[in-house]
Amino acid sequence: MPANQHRSRTRDRNNILNRPEFMSLNQPLRTNSAEMRGSARRPGQAARQQQNLQAEHPPREPVDGARERRESLKLPEEDCMQLNPTFKGIAMNSLLAIDICLSKRLGVCAYTSSSWGSVRSIVTLLALTGHGITWILGTLLCLTKSNTLAGQEVLVNLLLALILDVMTVAGVQKLVKRKGPWEIHPGFLDYVAMDVYSFPAAHASRAAMVAKFLLSHLVLAVPLRILLVLWAFLVGVSRVLLGRHHLTDMACGFALGFLHYSLVEMVWLSSSTCQTLISIGTLSWIPFY
């Protein structure tokens, strides 16, 4: 017996699990009564929470659920990438990118702190010579001072051409709503002339139309004709330098100005019609005279 006891003590002493740091591994697991009570209450609490959530957020009726999921996962058009763009789309996007880049580089008078900010006032004055309000008021003043039928005929048709230009450009700008290359707020005269957006360039359209009109109906010397064409070109460029228009806006404005001139020539008002309009405007028209 003593030998067996001695061997059992030796075996217990050599057993690693009998060491103090491993004594907890030999003890049975203890279950906490509080945890048992909590686990017993959890199913009831979960059921009550689910009922409260259903009461706060009632389930929606499944109406076109698949379509709603597709619409919710649908990205905006500006975030979508066209996987197979056409050659036409690539060319248009490239041209627009080049147009924006060049227009931003040419906006050297956009602010007083720009590279050509010292001449910004001169460029602004040049652009003002092509403003719609300036030309309409100037034409009305010349019309009141004119005493010849031929002069009044030309001035009335010019006035109608200016009104046509202002209304057409304002309508196209309202439809396109293209912003300029620089964030510049329109001035008071721009709001009066409805020249708020960038495309097409109203000053370029007006300058091209007026220059073509005066070259066709006035007898001018060659130097004056050259200066008139140069003035029309510089008026269009001035708006690009001021950061108000892109290059494509200016080009389309010139083309629109020539179109306005062609329309006015097609519907040219005769001298008698112009005299009738002048009489109506001055409130001196007698219908049965």
Side-chain angles (χ1 to χ4, degrees):
M1 287 294 295
N4 294 332
Q5 292 178 358
H6 178 71
R7 279 197 296 270
S8 62
R9 288 195 193 116
T10 305
R11 194 184 309 112
D12 294 337
R13 200 182 307 118
N14 294 332
N15 192 0
I16 298 175
L17 297 177
N18 290 330
R19 294 182 182 179
E21 58 268 24
F22 297 110
M23 289 296 294
S24 60
L25 298 177
N26 295 328
Q27 297 178 0
L29 294 175
R30 296 180 182 179
T31 57
N32 194 351
S33 60
E35 291 179 0
M36 293 291 292
R37 289 193 298 270
S39 61
R41 285 198 301 265
R42 280 173 192 162
Q45 292 179 356
R48 283 196 297 273
Q49 290 179 359
Q50 187 175 3
Q51 291 177 359
N52 294 332
L53 290 175
Q54 290 179 357
E56 293 176 358
H57 304 285
R60 298 174 61 185
E61 296 181 0
V63 179
D64 295 334
R67 186 172 61 185
E68 290 181 359
R69 278 197 302 273
R70 286 197 300 268
E71 290 179 357
S72 63
L73 295 175
K74 189 177 180 181
L75 294 174
E77 292 183 359
E78 59 269 15
D79 294 336
C80 296
M81 182 180 64
Q82 191 174 1
L83 297 179
N84 295 317
T86 60
F87 177 78
K88 182 180 178 181
I90 295 174
M92 289 297 296
N93 292 333
S94 301
L95 290 177
L96 287 176
I98 294 172
D99 177 38
I100 294 173
C101 180
L102 291 179
S103 301
K104 282 184 173 292
R105 288 178 179 271
L106 290 175
V108 293
C109 299
Y111 304 99
T112 54
S113 58
S114 301
S115 57
W116 286 19
S118 58
V119 296
R120 189 175 187 274
S121 58
I122 300 175
V123 178
T124 304
L125 183 62
L126 177 62
L128 187 62
T129 60
H131 203 281
I133 302 300
T134 305
W135 274 97
I136 290 176
L137 293 179
T139 305
L140 289 174
L141 181 61
C142 294
L143 190 59
T144 58
K145 300 297 183 180
S146 178
N147 296 322
T148 62
L149 295 178
Q152 291 176 357
E153 179 184 353
V154 172
L155 289 172
V156 168
N157 283 277
L158 177 59
L159 181 62
L160 294 178
L162 291 170
I163 295 174
L164 173 65
D165 180 82
V166 170
M167 299 302 294
T168 305
V169 171
V172 176
Q173 286 187 356
K174 191 67 176 177
L175 288 175
V176 179
K177 292 184 178 181
R178 187 187 189 188
K179 295 183 178 180
W182 296 93
E183 292 293 335
I184 300 176
H185 297 286
F188 174 74
L189 291 178
D190 295 329
Y191 281 109
V192 173
M194 297 177 287
D195 185 12
V196 180
Y197 295 101
S198 175
F199 181 88
H203 289 65
S205 173
R206 197 168 302 114
M209 187 270 297
V210 169
K212 182 63 176 174
F213 189 94
L214 296 180
L215 289 174
S216 300
H217 297 283
L218 295 181
V219 180
L220 300 174
V222 175
L224 291 178
R225 298 173 75 88
I226 295 175
L227 287 176
L228 189 59
V229 174
L230 183 62
W231 165 81
F233 176 74
L234 291 178
V235 166
V237 173
S238 66
R239 298 289 286 178
V240 178
L241 297 178
L242 291 172
R244 294 298 307 276
H245 296 287
H246 300 86
L247 289 175
T248 51
D249 302 335
M250 181 186 67
C252 292
F254 284 142
L256 192 60
F258 286 113
L259 178 62
H260 290 157
Y261 167 77
S262 301
L263 290 176
V264 171
E265 289 294 322
M266 291 173 59
V267 296
W268 184 268
L269 301 180
S270 61
S271 179
S272 59
T273 306
C274 293
Q275 293 303 313
T276 303
L277 292 176
I278 293 173
S279 301
I280 294 173
T282 56
L283 300 179
S284 59
W285 180 51
I286 302 176
F288 301 104
Y289 176 71

